[in-house]
Amino acid sequence: MKAIIAEKPSVAREIAQLLHVTEQKNGYLTGNGYCITWALGHLVTLAMPEDYNIKSFHKKSLPIVPDPFILTQKKIKKEKSHQLDPVATKQLKVIKEVFDQCSSIIVATDAGREGELIFRYIYDFLKCTKPFERLWISSLTEKAIAVGFRNLKPGKDFDGLYEAGKARSEADWLVGINASKALSISAGDEVYSLGRVQTPTLALICKRFQEHQNFTEKKYWQIQLYHRINYLDFKSQSSNRWEDKKSVEHILKSIEREGKAEVTDVQIKSVTEPAPLLFDLTALQKEANRKLGFSADETLQIAQSLYEKKFITYPRTGSRYIPKDIWPEIPELIRSLNNHVKFKDGISHLKFGNFNRRIVNDLKVTDHHALLITGKIPSSLSAKENSIYDMIAFSLLESLSDHCLKELTQVNLQVNHYEFLSKSVTIKQQGWRAARGILWEDENHGNGEQFNDFPQVKIGDVFKFSNPEILEKKTQPVKLYTEADLLSAMENAGRLIANEEEQKAIQNTGIGTSATRASIIEVLLKRQYIERRNKRMIPTQKGLQVYDFVKDQKIANVQMTAEWEVALHEIEQGNLDPSLFLHRIRAYTSQITEELLATDIPKERLPLLICPRCKSHPLFINKKFIKCSDETCSWIQFRTICGVQLSVNDISLLISQGRTPLIKNMKSKGGKRFDAIIVLQDDQTTKFEFPDRKKRSR
C-alpha cells in the first residue's frame, strides 16, 4: 500500500479519480493499492515562544533564539493565548494513520518551496521514517498527472527546496518575533508587528507617500502651435518652459506676429518592440491590477481556482519562459483556443510553423515554467475567472507573434529663435499588438507623442501655423503606489539601492517571491499599516508611526532583504549551507533587537481629564480607548472612529468643550470617505456633525 499526500482535498480527489481510488474514508480515500489524504495547508508550524516556557516578554528575554526550533501542531489565537487548532489536530491523526499503514509515500503537495515545507514539517513532526517520492507537475490535467506518476522523482532531489523553505521559515520567526516584541516594549502600551519582508515593504510605501506629500507644486507655461500640411494635422510644443506668465504672454505676441515656422531638424528612426514574454505570477498580478483593479491576493486566488479546475498551469511561478520540451505542445494549445470566438482574430495573425520562440529558454525556467492555458475548454467560469483566463490566453498569442515595428519621427521647428518640437509614432507592422487589437496603451498618451502619419518635411521647409496658445502646466509629484506599482517595486527592490556596486550585485533581486508578495501586502493591510484608497496603497497613521520608528534601522533595509532572497535561492540550488545563512540571521536578529530596544519613542503627554458622566473621577487614556477610572461609572469611548484615531488634542476638546475639531478622511461602512465633527451629547454618547451640510441648507 502506498500513501499519497496532497495539499488540498480537491487535488486529492483529482488524483484519486485518475488512479481509480474510490473508497471514501474519514479524511482520506483508499483503494487500488493507495491511500490518498491531504494536508489542509500548514498543519505543522514552528512553536511559539510560550512553547519554550517563555511566558512573557521583557528586555532580558530578548532576543529569543531557539536552538533547535520545535515543531508544533497549528494553533489559533483565542483571546490572549494560542490554542491547538482542532481541525489540524484531527487531520494530523488521519495522516498518521495513513502513513502507518503504508510502506512508502508519494508527495503530491504543491510543487514549490511552501508545498515542500508543508509535507516535510508534517513528516518530521510525526517522526515518520517511511521512504518518499515526489510528484512534480505543473498542471492538474489527467495527462500531466499521469506523466508525473510515470516519472516520480526521489524525495532527496528536493532536499535543497526544503532547506530553503525551512531557512525562510526560521528566519521569518527570528526576525518577526524578536523585532515585534522589542518595538512593542520600547513603545510601552502599543503592540506592533515587524517582519523580515513586511517592514521593508512598508518602508517603500511610506517613503513614497512622504515624498508625495512633501512635494511643492510649481506652475510653468509652454506655447503650443497647430499645423496643417498636405491635409495632415499635427501640433508642436515649445522646448522652453517659462515660470513667469507675463514673459510667455509677451513671447506669444511676437510668435503670432511672425506667423511662420522653419524646420531645423528631422529625425526618423525605426523601433522594434519585442513580443512580450508569458506571465509569471507577479506579471499577471500587475496586469490584473492595472486593467481590472484586482488586488494581488484576489488575482492569486482566481488563478489558483483556475489551476484546480485544470484550465491553467501552476500559478505560483516565478518564470516567464518555457523549456524546450513544452514547445511541441504549444500548437495544440493554440488550436484549442479556436473554439472561442474572442481569440479567432488574434490566432489569424499567427504564422503556424513559424511561431516566435523568444519564450523558450531552459536556463530561465525555475521550479515551474511560465503560466499557460492547458487546452481544456473553459466552462462554468465566473466573470472574474474568465477575465484572468483571457489574460493568460492572450499573453500566449502575443508571445508567439512577430515583433511590433514602429517609426518614430521628431521634427524641430524654430519661430523667432524659439524652438518647438513635434513627435509622432506610426505603426508599420502591428505584430503582437494585433492579438488583442490594442495598438496603444493608455500610459503612452500624454508624453507629447501623436499617433498618426506625419507629413513629409525636410530641413529648411517653412510653413504657417495657426491658433498659437499658452498651456498652463504644473510639476507633478512622484505617483503614489498602485498595487501593480508596488509589486514592481518589490520585484525590483535591488534597483532602488543607491550604491552602484551594491545595486549591481542584486539588481535583479526583489523583496519576497512571486508566490509570497500578495500575502505580504495582505499582512500590511490586516495590521492596518496600509489601506487601499482610490486604487492607491496609502500608509495609515499607525503605519507611518511604525515607519518613523524604524526607517533608519536595519529592519527596514531593502538591500538586506533582497540579499536574503539571493541566499535562499542559493540554498535551494545546493550552493549555500543553510546553517551559514541562519548564523547570519541570528547575528542580524541580535543587532536589530538591540537597536529597537534602544529606540527612544516619545510617549504621549496625557492631560488630566474628568469623566463627563460621573464628573468626579479622572479618565484613563490608552491607545485604544478612554474610560472612567471608576469601575461603577464604566463610561468608555473608543479612540478609533471610522478608521481614524483621535489625537490627545481631539480627546481634550471633546471632553472639555463637547466637540472635536473637524476630523478628516473617516471611512463609512460602505467604504465612502467623509469629514465630520464628533459631538458629545447630553447622555455622554457621541454623534457626527457635518458642517458642509449646514452650509448647504442655509
Side-chain angles (χ1 to χ4, degrees):
M1 184 81 75
K2 285 191 174 184
I4 300 175
I5 179 167
E7 197 161 316
K8 293 181 178 179
S10 58
V11 178
R13 285 192 289 270
E14 293 291 345
I15 294 172
Q17 184 176 351
L18 178 71
L19 299 177
H20 307 294
V21 177
T22 57
E23 189 177 349
Q24 179 76 50
K25 297 284 188 178
N26 187 15
Y28 67 99
L29 300 107
T30 187
N32 200 24
Y34 293 100
C35 278
I36 306 176
T37 187
W38 47 87
L40 298 174
H42 284 278
L43 296 178
V44 175
T45 62
L46 295 178
M48 296 300 289
E50 53 263 32
D51 296 311
Y52 298 94
N53 294 319
I54 300 173
K55 301 298 184 184
S56 60
F57 288 91
H58 303 285
K59 284 187 178 182
K60 63 183 181 181
S61 68
L62 298 179
I64 303 168
V65 184
D67 188 19
F69 277 91
I70 299 171
L71 293 177
T72 184
Q73 293 179 41
K74 178 184 175 183
K75 294 183 178 182
I76 52 177
K77 193 168 184 179
K78 285 194 174 181
E79 297 178 354
K80 293 185 178 181
S81 64
H82 291 85
Q83 299 177 13
L84 292 177
D85 181 350
V87 175
T89 302
K90 180 180 178 182
Q91 191 60 21
L92 277 170
K93 287 180 180 178
V94 171
I95 294 170
K96 187 177 187 312
E97 178 186 340
V98 169
F99 284 3
D100 286 347
Q101 62 182 296
C102 294
S103 58
S104 64
I105 302 165
I106 296 173
V107 184
T109 51
D110 281 358
R113 188 189 288 173
E114 287 307 299
E116 190 68 23
L117 188 67
I118 285 171
F119 164 69
R120 297 287 188 113
Y121 271 180
I122 292 171
Y123 185 82
D124 289 350
F125 180 76
L126 296 178
K127 295 182 172 54
C128 184
T129 57
K130 302 285 177 72
F132 60 89
E133 297 174 287
R134 195 50 159 106
L135 176 70
W136 193 263
I137 54 177
S138 287
S139 83
L140 290 175
T141 60
E142 286 188 11
K143 179 182 176 182
I145 296 171
V147 171
F149 269 98
R150 287 198 299 269
N151 296 280
L152 293 172
K153 300 177 183 297
K156 63 181 178 55
D157 287 1
F158 300 90
D159 286 351
L161 192 66
Y162 163 59
E163 292 293 350
K166 181 170 175 282
R168 192 277 310 154
S169 177
E170 293 178 1
D172 284 347
W173 193 101
L174 286 168
V175 175
I177 293 289
N178 287 290
S180 299
K181 295 306 175 183
L183 183 59
S184 298
I185 288 169
S186 292
D189 59 352
E190 182 64 283
V191 175
Y192 293 101
S193 170
L194 300 179
R196 179 184 68 89
V197 182
Q198 74 176 53
T199 304
T201 305
L202 175 64
L204 287 175
I205 298 168
C206 291
K207 185 173 184 291
R208 174 64 64 91
F209 177 77
Q210 290 183 343
E211 288 173 355
H212 181 89
Q213 292 294 97
N214 296 332
F215 175 78
T216 302
E217 179 187 279
K218 291 182 180 179
K219 287 185 179 180
Y220 66 92
W221 289 266
Q222 287 179 282
I223 296 174
Q224 182 164 275
L225 308 178
Y226 292 86
H227 313 273
R228 185 175 179 82
I229 300 176
N230 297 331
Y231 304 104
L232 292 174
D233 294 315
F234 66 99
K235 56 192 176 185
S236 62
Q237 284 187 16
S238 60
S239 300
N240 292 72
R241 296 180 175 189
W242 292 276
E243 295 182 2
D244 178 51
K245 190 175 182 182
K246 289 184 178 179
S247 297
V248 75
E249 287 173 344
H250 177 74
I251 292 166
L252 179 67
K253 289 178 182 178
S254 69
I255 286 174
E256 285 175 325
R257 286 194 296 269
E258 178 64 26
K260 295 179 181 179
E262 180 182 354
V263 178
T264 59
D265 190 31
V266 178
Q267 295 181 21
I268 301 174
K269 64 178 180 179
S270 295
V271 175
T272 299
E273 191 178 41
L277 296 169
L278 296 167
F279 287 132
D280 65 0
L281 177 58
T282 299
L284 177 67
Q285 288 168 322
K286 290 191 289 187
E287 183 84 352
N289 183 252
R290 291 190 184 112
K291 301 291 175 62
L292 304 172
F294 293 175
S295 72
D297 187 62
E298 186 177 15
T299 300
L300 173 56
Q301 300 310 318
I302 295 168
Q304 183 69 22
S305 174
L306 288 170
Y307 168 66
E308 291 175 13
K309 292 176 180 178
K310 309 181 195 177
F311 296 127
I312 66 169
T313 58
Y314 186 66
R316 288 177 167 85
T317 175
S319 177
R320 302 189 69 176
Y321 295 85
I322 61 171
K324 289 178 184 176
D325 61 353
I326 295 292
W327 180 250
E329 300 177 19
I330 297 300
E332 190 59 37
L333 296 182
I334 298 302
R335 280 189 276 271
S336 74
L337 290 177
N338 252 325
N339 295 296
H340 305 263
V341 174
K342 55 189 160 188
F343 300 121
K344 282 184 178 293
D345 187 56
I347 293 172
S348 69
H349 291 88
L350 288 176
K351 298 175 182 176
F352 275 82
N354 193 26
F355 289 161
N356 188 337
R357 291 177 62 96
R358 184 179 176 225
I359 58 174
V360 181
N361 191 325
D362 284 347
L363 297 176
K364 292 188 177 181
V365 176
T366 51
D367 294 339
H368 294 277
H369 58 67
L371 268 163
L372 290 171
I373 58 172
T374 61
K376 181 182 177 183
I377 299 172
S379 59
S380 304
L381 297 184
S382 68
K384 289 184 176 182
E385 286 175 328
N386 260 316
S387 61
I388 293 297
Y389 179 87
D390 289 354
M391 276 189 172
I392 296 168
F394 274 120
S395 81
L396 176 60
L397 298 183
E398 289 175 343
S399 71
L400 299 174
S401 302
D402 289 335
H403 302 321
C404 174
L405 298 180
K406 298 178 180 180
E407 186 175 86
L408 308 183
T409 303
Q410 179 177 302
V411 176
N412 291 52
L413 307 167
Q414 196 173 68
V415 184
N416 280 358
H417 306 294
Y418 295 105
E419 186 181 71
F420 286 77
L421 284 179
S422 183
K423 297 179 181 179
S424 179
V425 181
T426 305
I427 295 286
K428 292 298 184 181
Q429 176 182 300
Q430 293 184 10
W432 63 269
R433 288 191 174 275
R436 280 189 281 184
I438 301 174
L439 300 186
W440 312 110
E441 300 290 350
D442 291 341
E443 54 262 34
N444 287 333
H445 293 275
N447 61 4
E449 291 181 347
Q450 299 158 82
F451 305 111
N452 52 18
D453 289 330
F454 201 87
Q456 289 188 351
V457 295
K458 62 182 183 298
I459 296 173
D461 283 354
V462 177
F463 46 83
K464 294 181 180 181
F465 55 80
S466 62
N467 303 321
E469 63 176 333
I470 296 173
L471 302 178
E472 181 178 297
K473 297 186 178 182
K474 299 174 183 177
T475 54
Q476 298 296 316
V478 62
K479 290 183 178 179
L480 295 170
Y481 283 125
T482 61
E483 200 153 344
D485 297 332
L486 180 58
L487 287 168
S488 289
M490 294 170 73
E491 186 178 28
N492 302 301
R495 299 177 191 174
L496 303 174
I497 297 164
N499 184 293
E500 289 186 9
E501 288 301 314
E502 293 173 351
Q503 184 193 83
K504 191 180 293 185
I506 56 171
Q507 61 181 349
N508 296 318
T509 304
I511 296 176
T513 64
S514 289
T516 61
R517 289 180 189 123
S519 63
I520 294 163
I521 295 171
E522 291 302 313
V523 164
L524 292 174
L525 288 162
K526 183 180 177 181
R527 304 288 185 199
Q528 297 183 330
Y529 287 169
I530 63 172
E531 61 183 4
R532 294 186 180 97
R533 191 187 307 168
N534 299 327
K535 296 185 179 180
R536 305 290 173 182
M537 307 304 290
I538 307 292
T540 61
Q541 183 181 2
K542 185 176 183 180
L544 286 168
Q545 187 179 38
V546 171
Y547 174 64
D548 191 50
F549 295 157
V550 303
K551 62 184 177 184
D552 298 322
Q553 300 184 9
K554 283 186 176 292
I555 187 69
N557 191 320
V558 167
Q559 179 178 348
M560 184 75 69
T561 308
E563 287 174 348
W564 286 350
E565 296 299 340
V566 172
L568 289 170
H569 180 70
E570 290 296 298
I571 293 171
E572 190 172 312
Q573 298 301 309
N575 299 327
L576 177 65
D577 186 339
S579 64
L580 293 177
F581 171 73
L582 286 168
H583 177 74
R584 296 206 303 263
I585 292 290
R586 291 187 189 100
Y588 169 83
T589 299
S590 297
Q591 188 174 358
I592 59 167
T593 302
E594 187 176 329
E595 282 182 354
L596 291 166
L597 287 173
T599 302
D600 183 19
I601 299 176
K603 305 297 188 293
E604 285 184 305
R605 292 187 177 181
L606 303 177
L608 179 62
L609 298 172
I610 302 302
C611 174
R613 177 178 290 170
C614 67
K615 296 185 170 44
S616 58
H617 292 90
L619 291 174
F620 170 77
I621 305 173
N622 70 8
K623 295 282 184 182
K624 294 184 178 180
F625 53 80
I626 317 125
K627 71 173 186 177
C628 183
S629 56
D630 181 19
E631 293 294 331
T632 58
C633 174
S634 72
W635 183 84
I636 189 169
Q637 171 64 50
F638 289 97
R639 282 186 68 170
T640 299
I641 299 176
C642 294
V644 175
Q645 187 184 56
L646 299 183
S647 68
V648 170
N649 182 58
D650 295 334
I651 295 166
S652 296
L653 292 172
L654 179 66
I655 302 302
S656 62
Q657 299 183 18
R659 57 197 295 114
T660 67
L662 185 67
I663 307 296
K664 293 187 175 182
N665 210 29
M666 289 189 280
K667 189 176 182 180
S668 69
K669 289 181 179 178
K672 292 185 177 180
R673 298 280 167 182
F674 68 96
D675 303 339
I677 293 168
I678 299 169
V679 177
L680 189 65
Q681 302 182 96
D682 292 340
D683 62 356
Q684 291 82 49
T685 59
T686 55
K687 70 172 185 178
F688 292 126
E689 184 179 287
F690 301 94
D692 289 344
R693 294 181 186 175
K694 286 190 171 184
K695 289 176 184 176
R696 284 199 293 269
S697 64
R698 290 190 191 123

